[in-house]
Each structure stands twice: as C-alpha cells, then as structure tokens.
Amino acid sequence: MTTTRSLLRPAVVLVTTAIMTVSLFAQARELSVSTVLSDAFPWGQAAEKWADLVKERSGGELTLRVYPNAQLVNGDQTREFSAMRSGLIDAAVGSTINWSPQVPELNLFSLPFFMPDVEAVDAVTGGAAGTMVFDAIESRGVMPLAWGENGFRQLSNSRRPIDEPDDLEGLKIRVVGSPLFQDTFTALGANPIQMSWADTKPALTTGAVDGQENPLSVFDVARIDQAGQDHLTLWNYMNDPLIFAVNPQVWGSLSDEERTLLREAAEEAGAWEIAMTREQEPERLAAIKARGVTVTELDEAQHEAFVEATEPVHDEWGPRIGEALVEAARADMQGE
C-alpha cells in the first residue's frame, strides 16, 4: 500500500496544479480593444484611459489590450463594427461615422449643420435620441456602454480659403467610407473621394486629393498642414461622437460585477476624454495658426449659405436615419 500511495502522489500533485492553473486563468482575462487612432490623439487616449481604469479597479484580473490604427481590421476602419459583432474584436472605442454603414441611425450625427455646438451634442447624446441610438446599436449585435468625442469636423484644403459653397466647386475632398459624406460634398459642388485614414496624408502630400475634413485634434497632432493643407475653414458641419462598446458574447460571459466595472470605467474615461478634447481646442487652434495656416471662420450669413446648400441632403437622409430619431434629437436640442 505504501508503494501504491507513493506512486499516486505525483499524479495527485499534477492534477491539483493543473486545476489551480485553470482556476487562475479563469479569473484573469484580457479583452482586445480596437481604435482607429493611437494614443497620440484624444481618441486613442480614451481607450488607454479605459484600460487603465479597468486594470486598476479589477486588480489586474480583467485587462484591456488596446490595438490602435485599426490594425485588427487591416486598416479598414469601416469593418470595425462588423468585426466586433462577430467576435473577432472583443471591444472598441469607435466612431459613429465608421459604424454608420452597419447602424444607419448613427448617421444622425453626420447630418450636415444639424448640431450647431457642443451643448446640442450633449443634449442629444444625453437625451431621448441618445437612448434610441444605443438601442439601435444593441439591436445590431453590439453592446454600447458610454460616449466619447472625436469633435466637430473642420475643412482644410491646399487651394484657397473657403467661406461659401462655390469655393468648393471641383475640389477633390477625401472623405470616409460613408454615402452621407459623398452626398454632402457632392451637394456642395466638390468631388468627394473615399479613402482610409492610412492613405490620406500621402494622398494630400502628392496632390491626389485637394483637401480633407477632420477635427482640430487630428489636424494638429497629425500635422496635416505639412501635407500642403494651408487653408482651414472652421464650419462645425458635423460632430463625431465616439462610442465605447463590447461584443455581446463577451458581455454575456462577464459577471454582474465585471459588467458594472467595465461600464463605469467606460463612462468615466469617456467623460474625461470629452472634457480634455474640448479644453484643448483653443490651444490647438493657436498652434495651427502659428504654423502659418490661414484660418477662415464663417459669419452667420456665410454659415447659413452652407446650411441651405445641404438641405437636400437632409431631405434624402432623414427617412434613412429614421424621422422619429431625427425629431427626438431636435426635441433634445430644444430642451423639450
């Protein structure tokens, strides 16, 4: 018997060790998080902040590994939502623009000249329309958790100052892969060219395209002016909120405590990033001007000319987005 017990002991130790190892791995978990921009930009910083908060509050048992530059979808930012829905990506801090091909309701934020300022954006994301948008995202197979912000998108070009729609006539403007952007710039007389972010700066440098539209943070950090973009028009023609979201199977596999932790960390990271993005805008604009960029700011009459020129876009896209959602957003902005 003594000999038999001696022979059994190593096996028992091995089995016990294996069980302990499995238990440890079951407790510690890493989720992949996709972003389009790195932590040189507020967008990427939002994802890193989320990761830091989750790691700290979970004691390292739940961690987020951020993959910037859309590398999990080979640079094709419009595939991010589908990849997250299918489980190829666990989570993302993504753009309403990039996800709009799969969630048409997200085009609400891309309606030209619909939301005039950050107060309007906050009213929509924090109101009935924001809830409807999150419901739409969830119905398409992804769990939304919190809002962030990429900011109002401004227009730059290498040719001339732009302060009226006619100034855009014939200009080749890089846009993201959204039909709404194509329709907006076509309505303004430009020649919109769909292009990934990775290809944009080289195309600007070579003159393959004349201009682009992006928030000040992107223009500043990416040094778009170095690609010959000497003219910048501040027109706030649309806003691009960010959304923190998770694959539903991943979400369903988490405990209630982990879900609460993940959501609250996303909400805190989002609020932090929104405040930071807005606070930095005056400094970014001053830096852009100091580098010799001609900045054009529209007066009320000039702004109204762009609004009128893009009214047909609203007529076409309102039904696609959902008239009920558009009206809810209007009511939110009016404080109703």
Side-chain angles (χ1 to χ4, degrees):
M1 289 292 294
T2 302
T3 303
T4 302
R5 285 174 184 167
S6 298
L7 291 171
L8 286 174
R9 270 194 207 106
V12 171
V13 170
L14 287 172
V15 171
T16 302
T17 302
I19 292 172
M20 290 176 64
T21 301
V22 170
S23 175
L24 286 172
F25 274 104
Q27 292 174 11
R29 187 172 185 182
E30 180 181 276
L31 305 181
S32 61
V33 179
S34 175
T35 67
V36 170
L37 297 179
S38 72
D39 60 5
F41 302 83
W43 187 340
Q45 292 165 20
E48 293 292 350
K49 180 72 170 180
W50 190 21
D52 290 343
L53 290 171
V54 168
K55 182 177 181 180
E56 174 188 339
R57 293 175 184 179
S58 71
E61 295 301 328
L62 181 63
T63 58
L64 308 181
R65 184 177 179 184
V66 179
Y67 293 83
N69 303 316
Q71 59 183 285
L72 296 179
V73 287
N74 296 319
D76 185 353
Q77 58 217 56
T78 60
R79 289 179 49 222
E80 186 177 66
F81 186 90
S82 297
M84 179 168 42
R85 180 173 56 196
S86 68
L88 294 175
I89 295 172
D90 295 326
V93 180
S95 156
T96 56
I97 299 170
N98 293 334
W99 295 0
S100 64
Q102 291 81 36
V103 187
E105 291 85 352
L106 291 176
N107 286 297
L108 175 73
F109 299 97
S110 298
L111 278 174
F113 306 102
F114 183 59
M115 299 178 193
D117 49 37
V118 293
E119 289 76 19
V121 175
D122 291 344
V124 171
T125 57
T131 299
M132 293 169 71
V133 168
F134 268 27
D135 288 344
I137 293 172
E138 188 173 354
S139 74
R140 296 326 196 283
V142 165
M143 177 60 64
L145 303 182
W147 295 98
E149 184 167 276
N150 197 25
F152 277 103
R153 297 175 79 90
Q154 316 298 355
L155 177 67
S156 73
N157 82 99
S158 60
R159 296 287 197 87
R160 51 184 174 263
I162 293 173
D163 60 18
E164 61 181 15
D166 286 348
D167 293 331
L168 274 160
E169 186 68 35
L171 291 186
K172 294 173 291 184
I173 305 295
R174 175 267 177 182
V175 297
V176 296
S178 164
L180 177 48
F181 281 66
Q182 298 273 347
D183 290 350
T184 296
F185 280 91
T186 299
L188 292 169
N191 177 16
I193 298 175
Q194 179 181 329
M195 188 176 294
S196 72
W197 172 244
D199 295 331
T200 299
K201 196 169 182 180
L204 293 170
T205 302
T206 62
V209 292
D210 300 310
Q212 61 85 54
E213 46 76 54
N214 256 306
L216 286 182
S217 61
V218 175
F219 189 96
D220 181 32
V221 176
R223 293 296 192 267
I224 298 297
D225 49 290
Q226 293 180 352
Q229 298 292 285
D230 299 326
H231 303 284
L232 177 67
T233 297
L234 303 183
W235 63 344
N236 283 16
Y237 88 112
M238 57 82 61
N239 192 279
D240 181 24
L242 302 176
I243 298 173
F244 295 71
V246 180
N247 167 271
Q249 285 74 40
V250 170
W251 184 253
S253 71
L254 299 174
S255 67
D256 289 343
E257 292 78 9
E258 288 171 325
R259 291 182 192 177
T260 298
L261 186 155
L262 202 61
R263 185 189 298 275
E264 290 181 348
E267 291 172 342
E268 184 173 329
W272 171 83
E273 187 264 342
I274 289 170
M276 175 187 65
T277 298
R278 294 176 182 178
E279 288 170 2
Q280 291 177 346
E281 287 233 323
E283 182 180 341
R284 291 193 187 283
L285 182 57
I288 290 167
K289 288 180 178 179
R291 296 200 295 269
V293 176
T294 300
V295 177
T296 300
E297 299 188 50
L298 305 181
D299 61 29
E300 187 174 344
Q302 291 169 329
H303 181 269
E304 187 59 29
F306 283 99
V307 172
E308 292 177 1
T310 54
E311 282 180 358
V313 180
H314 285 249
D315 295 338
E316 180 178 352
W317 279 87
R320 298 194 201 183
I321 295 167
E323 296 290 2
L325 176 56
V326 174
E327 288 306 313
R330 284 199 179 99
D332 288 338
M333 290 188 285
Q334 294 166 5
E336 297 176 4

